[in-house]
Amino acid sequence: MLQIFNTRTRRMEPFEPTDPKAVRLYVCGVTVYDDCHLGHARMLVIFDMVVRYLRQSGYGVRYIRNLTDIDDKIIRRAAELGETVEGLTRRMIDRFHGDQEALGVAPPDAEPSATGHIGAMVHLIERLWDRGVAYQGENGDVYFRVDRFPTYGCLSGRRLEELRAGSRIGIEETKADPLDFVLWKAAKPNEPAWPSPWGHGRPGWHIECSAMSMAHLDLPIDIHGGGQDLEFPHHENEVAQSEAATGEPFVRYWIHNGFVQVGQDKMAKSQGNFMTIREALTRYDRETLRFWLLASHYRSPVTFSEENLVQARFSLERLYLALRGLGEPDSPDSAALAPWQSRFSAAMDDDFNTPDALAVLFDLVREINRVRTADPDRACQLGTGLREMARVFGLLELDPETFLRGGGGEVTDEWIEERIHERQRLREAGQYAEADRIRQQLLDAGILVEDGPEKQARWRRRSPAAS
RNA sequence: GGCCAGGUGGCAGAGUGGUCAUGCAGCGGCCUGCAAAGCCGUCUACGCCGGUUCGAUCCCGACCCUGGCCUCCA
């Protein structure tokens, strides 16, 4: 049975969705003001894996992931670029969708946008207003009154006194309490604005996710996810607003993924140490990227570096090498796979322990390689199983030769084939020194020639960093 | 300052009170014309100091160090 580490309780809990047949999953998506970087990729890939695993485990899943398409950064960026807010967000959403597809991430079942849910947000704020937990400051902004929500801080394990004692909270005199947060921002000149009972303005960030998740999912939501940096204050505020408005529990299991780091630092736009998904995909293939992201547990930090990505590529090559040359089995035999399948599930059931699950895949690879000559049909059985298990990670979806020969390079396949034929002639003539020269020539071009039992030698590309 | 997470072998990265993670790299062997791939074997570990225990990397306590959040953030 699946156990999930729930951020709210900080412990493992058996996963029992409200409706055993349909998991309600909401993940905080991205703010569309710029290209997404590898930090966003981690979130996308991790929750893609979560959804795939839940579905493979027999659950129906309704997966909602939002788009924040109105906020300060967007307005500022649009102004800088001399572009309309709508034009900017439309462009960025298209690019984001391109990134998603390029990463092999299945789209969510619905992708609500903030500007498409202004009415729901206003309505939600009205409910908070009616319950006396919202008020309007002198500047026209509407705030949530934090001390009216007794359990404020429960998600992130903070207490109001501790937060107030913190030195980093700026004092804003229009708030009754420095910890109160904005529900509705009064419009400034030349900003996009929508009408509301409190005047023209736009929604605060936190209210978006409360309104959008409730618009698309029944309460309580089973799993609400996002990056660790959203734990406080974003998710804390979501809980406060949602539960204060509805009077019922908002979310049952909170899942937060760890950061992508560069050296010792978190990868972030503000740090300037980021690499966009687009750029990463010009340097590494998507399965290598996914492997790298899934080779660490989702709650641990993962470090972006050339060495780590090259290592991921090599590891993945071992999986593909095992698959190379395996056909379809004569008849499926699930019993042959049972031991690995159960170890794999046990790993995944343990809070999505993908590194442990990957280790099972490698053990399976060893077994495939061991039996492939003596018992080819069993090897095929196991190979099919390997692919099936890897599907949860979005890995091993390519033809092995395609993967192994891919990765780019300056030389054409035709040239390679021609050289290999030439070398084969020399080998048959016993001119090994000449043949080896060609092998070296190919190797210098990043091509590894492998003589097999067949007459025709196989080849594959080594990534440039291999040497 | 407050709160949270973590420190595992050359690197990456799981896990466990007492045999084995796994991948990459290294070393030896088999295989190969030579290689590659593969198989077999093998070496480098659990931050530091105490405590509990027959036994601790794993439990408890102190200490050191790192990261994150407390401000926009996946």
Side-chain angles (χ1 to χ4, degrees):
Chain A
M1 169 167 214
L2 176 61
Q3 307 270 327
I4 292 180
F5 182 88
N6 190 344
T7 307
R8 187 165 51 93
T9 57
R10 282 173 205 288
R11 56 180 52 156
M12 293 282 233
E13 296 175 8
F15 178 62
E16 289 163 347
T18 313
D19 174 352
K21 288 205 279 290
V23 176
R24 307 161 192 163
L25 172 64
Y26 185 90
V27 172
C28 285
V30 299
T31 300
V32 283
Y33 72 104
D34 202 351
D35 281 339
C36 289
H37 58 69
L38 291 173
H40 302 103
R42 168 119 111 142
M43 173 274 288
L44 292 171
V45 169
I46 282 169
F47 287 101
D48 187 48
M49 171 276 291
V50 166
V51 169
R52 289 179 195 229
Y53 186 63
L54 289 171
R55 288 194 171 131
Q56 194 204 268
S57 302
Y59 292 111
V61 179
R62 182 158 168 73
Y63 176 27
I64 312 296
R65 194 187 60 222
N66 73 293
L67 291 167
T68 295
D69 61 351
I70 181 67
D71 94 320
D72 291 343
K73 285 199 295 275
I74 294 172
I75 292 168
R76 200 182 319 127
R77 177 60 57 91
E80 281 167 17
L81 297 175
E83 197 173 6
T84 63
V85 163
E86 209 189 3
L88 173 65
T89 56
R90 183 168 300 280
R91 199 157 58 78
M92 286 305 153
I93 289 169
D94 283 348
R95 290 174 72 87
F96 172 63
H97 285 159
D99 291 343
Q100 172 177 257
E101 198 185 340
L103 283 170
V105 167
D109 297 298
E111 192 173 43
S113 64
T115 56
H117 291 72
I118 303 287
M121 295 176 206
V122 168
H123 181 63
L124 197 58
I125 300 170
E126 280 179 315
R127 290 170 79 178
L128 292 167
W129 187 274
D130 293 342
R131 289 182 178 233
V133 293
Y135 64 95
Q136 192 160 26
E138 284 170 18
N139 59 358
D141 289 357
V142 178
Y143 298 103
F144 182 90
R145 197 184 292 275
V146 157
D147 64 9
R148 289 291 180 78
F149 187 71
T151 57
Y152 189 82
C154 273
L155 172 64
S156 55
R158 284 154 216 256
R159 284 180 307 194
L160 288 174
E161 313 86 74
E162 286 165 352
L163 288 165
R164 291 200 183 95
S167 54
R168 299 180 61 189
I169 296 173
I171 306 296
E172 289 175 51
E173 59 292 331
T174 70
K175 291 183 189 176
D177 183 322
L179 295 175
D180 291 346
F181 57 89
V182 181
L183 296 167
W184 185 259
K185 289 187 154 187
K188 298 193 184 80
N190 301 318
E191 283 185 357
W194 290 262
S196 85
W198 314 279
H200 271 61
R202 60 193 157 88
W205 177 39
H206 312 300
I207 199 72
E208 293 177 11
C209 288
S210 291
M212 288 190 268
S213 57
M214 286 188 230
H216 291 266
L217 296 169
D218 293 330
L219 295 183
I221 293 163
D222 291 309
I223 300 174
H224 189 129
Q228 239 157 35
D229 44 2
L230 300 186
E231 204 176 305
F232 188 89
H234 184 55
H235 288 159
E236 191 70 59
N237 292 350
E238 273 188 56
V239 173
Q241 293 163 342
S242 305
E243 299 194 350
T246 64
E248 48 183 313
F250 179 48
V251 169
R252 305 185 54 222
Y253 303 87
W254 285 92
I255 296 182
H256 291 97
N257 67 271
F259 300 124
V260 172
Q261 296 192 341
V262 177
Q264 292 279 54
D265 303 316
K266 169 184 169 185
M267 178 180 284
K269 278 276 157 57
S270 53
Q271 301 249 20
N273 61 352
F274 61 93
M275 178 180 283
T276 62
I277 294 173
R278 259 157 212 274
E279 191 186 346
L281 283 164
T282 65
R283 299 169 55 167
Y284 312 101
D285 63 279
R286 84 163 187 228
E287 291 200 5
T288 292
L289 246 11
R290 291 183 71 111
F291 188 99
W292 163 65
L293 290 169
L294 294 168
S296 303
H297 184 88
Y298 77 84
R299 279 188 280 118
S300 302
V302 64
T303 303
F304 173 73
S305 69
E306 178 73 18
E307 311 88 86
N308 288 356
L309 269 294
V310 168
Q311 229 183 71
R313 166 81 196 185
F314 284 1
S315 300
L316 198 48
E317 279 179 7
R318 179 164 160 84
L319 299 181
Y320 270 114
L321 283 166
L323 245 27
R324 183 155 71 161
L326 290 185
E328 288 300 307
D330 292 343
S331 59
D333 176 14
S334 54
L337 274 164
W340 286 279
Q341 204 92 58
S342 71
R343 281 178 57 205
F344 184 83
S345 304
M348 292 299 286
D349 280 347
D350 181 21
D351 194 30
F352 309 103
N353 192 336
T354 54
D356 201 16
L358 284 170
V360 175
L361 263 38
F362 284 103
D363 285 341
L364 186 51
V365 161
R366 178 167 297 109
E367 181 66 8
I368 289 169
N369 288 330
R370 261 198 288 245
V371 304
R372 65 188 315 144
T373 22
D375 191 351
D377 192 57
R378 176 168 158 81
C380 292
Q381 305 273 9
L382 298 177
T384 303
L386 175 61
R387 287 197 115 110
E388 247 165 58
M389 285 185 247
R391 201 156 50 214
V392 174
F393 303 135
L395 298 175
L396 305 186
E397 289 182 341
L398 301 170
D399 168 68
E401 295 300 339
T402 305
F403 178 84
L404 293 167
R405 293 180 176 188
E410 322 79 59
V411 294
T412 63
D413 290 8
E414 292 69 36
W415 180 80
I416 295 164
E417 298 288 356
E418 188 271 316
R419 299 311 297 153
I420 287 178
H421 272 107
E422 172 62 16
R423 173 172 172 273
Q424 183 58 25
R425 267 196 299 279
L426 293 165
R427 289 182 70 210
E428 280 165 12
Q431 298 177 19
Y432 291 118
E434 292 299 313
D436 285 350
R437 219 186 321 278
I438 291 179
R439 189 215 295 285
Q440 188 56 48
Q441 180 188 26
L442 284 160
L443 200 56
D444 291 342
I447 306 302
L448 195 65
V449 181
E450 301 176 277
D451 301 318
E454 316 82 19
K455 200 160 170 249
Q456 173 68 47
R458 291 197 283 203
W459 63 272
R460 61 192 170 99
R461 280 202 169 81
R462 296 301 279 172
S463 24
S467 49

